[in-house]
Amino acid sequence: GAQLEIVQFVGGGSQIYPCFANKNPLDIPPSKYHAIGTFQLEHNERRQQMLRFFICAILSATPAVAGTINYTLTSRNHRVSFSELQQPVAQLPCAFSHDCFSTYPIDVTIDGSLFSSSIVSFYTPANSGALTILQGSTVLVNNGAVGNLQIFSGGLSNPTLFEVSNLQLFTSSAGSPQFDEAFVLNAVLDGGASSGDAPEASTWVLSFCALLTIILARALKYRTLDLS
């Protein structure tokens, strides 16, 4: 079996390290620490620890499942709605600028009428943030955001959309939009973990690994070889 060495540091604190024959396991001056115990780890216990390591590694490498963002734009006279994948397939370039990405095809409903296969473009603060909606070459909506807010994170080639609440937009005349009004935008996550209502995937992974460690630790029996 493999050996583990309990090390106590001068000034306080301790840690467990693998034992290396005739080698300093810490690569620091021996005057800074001293060994206070050595333990034997049996082969079957090593297998269990390796199994725990690979389970945690696999879980950590598994990406979180993204949900859908449901968008609603409302004004005094109009209501616009559509849905996007939280991690959409970004297409470049987009309308009016290079500081943006597009998604296509998107079904957009405006005042109860369906505009199928529309193009929705999302902009960085360099172009006033927010979005545009086009049907072919016809601009339906062209709104910037107050404060030039960008409503996605990440880069233009790998964006992640996020929730917003009652974000005031303003009109832009570029392209002569058919619905030329300042909308209020709401974007709600459906089918994913919102930052305010559920732990992130990494939190679940760490919790699972910690629980697995406790279970295995209670099941393992260490045989003491030397204690001083």
Side-chain angles (χ1 to χ4, degrees), residues 69 71-73 82 84-86 88 101 120-125 128-132 143-154 159-165 167-169 185-187:
I69 300 283
Y71 290 88
T72 304
L73 296 91
F82 61 94
E84 295 267 6
L85 292 177
Q86 187 181 14
F101 71 88
V120 179
S121 300
F122 296 85
Y123 295 81
T124 70
S128 302
L131 52 80
T132 60
N143 272 197
V146 171
N148 298 331
L149 183 66
Q150 173 179 306
I151 55 176
F152 64 92
S153 60
T160 297
L161 304 174
F162 53 74
E163 296 179 298
V164 296
S165 179
L167 176 63
Q168 182 62 58
L169 307 181
L185 173 65
N186 283 277

Side-chain angles (χ1 to χ4, degrees), residues 76-98:
R76 178 176 299 181
N77 299 308
H78 301 290
R79 186 179 189 276
V80 181
S81 62
F82 61 94
S83 296
E84 295 267 6
L85 292 177
Q86 187 181 14
Q87 296 176 339
V89 178
Q91 302 180 48
L92 301 172
C94 55
F96 308 121
S97 174
H98 295 290

Side-chain angles (χ1 to χ4, degrees), residues 20-126:
F20 298 91
N22 301 319
K23 291 183 179 180
N24 181 343
L26 303 178
D27 195 28
I28 62 176
S31 60
K32 299 296 183 181
Y33 75 96
H34 61 274
I36 61 174
T38 306
F39 293 86
Q40 187 80 8
L41 190 62
E42 300 297 339
H43 289 290
N44 63 325
E45 296 164 358
R46 293 175 64 188
R47 285 195 296 269
Q48 291 186 57
Q49 284 209 343
M50 289 299 294
L51 176 62
R52 176 175 61 86
F53 170 80
F54 282 116
I55 289 175
C56 292
I58 291 171
L59 286 174
S60 299
T62 302
V65 177
T68 300
I69 300 283
N70 296 322
Y71 290 88
T72 304
L73 296 91
T74 54
S75 69
R76 178 176 299 181
N77 299 308
H78 301 290
R79 186 179 189 276
V80 181
S81 62
F82 61 94
S83 296
E84 295 267 6
L85 292 177
Q86 187 181 14
Q87 296 176 339
V89 178
Q91 302 180 48
L92 301 172
C94 55
F96 308 121
S97 174
H98 295 290
D99 296 309
C100 53
F101 71 88
S102 295
T103 57
Y104 171 88
I106 303 297
D107 289 339
V108 177
T109 300
I110 302 180
D111 300 333
S113 298
L114 177 64
F115 292 78
S116 59
S117 300
S118 295
I119 303 169
V120 179
S121 300
F122 296 85
Y123 295 81
T124 70

Side-chain angles (χ1 to χ4, degrees), residues 2-4 6 36-42 45 221-228:
Q3 285 187 328
L4 300 176
I6 300 178
I36 61 174
T38 306
F39 293 86
Q40 187 80 8
L41 190 62
E42 300 297 339
E45 296 164 358
K221 292 183 179 179
Y222 293 98
R223 175 161 54 88
T224 303
L225 292 185
D226 174 56
L227 283 176
S228 56

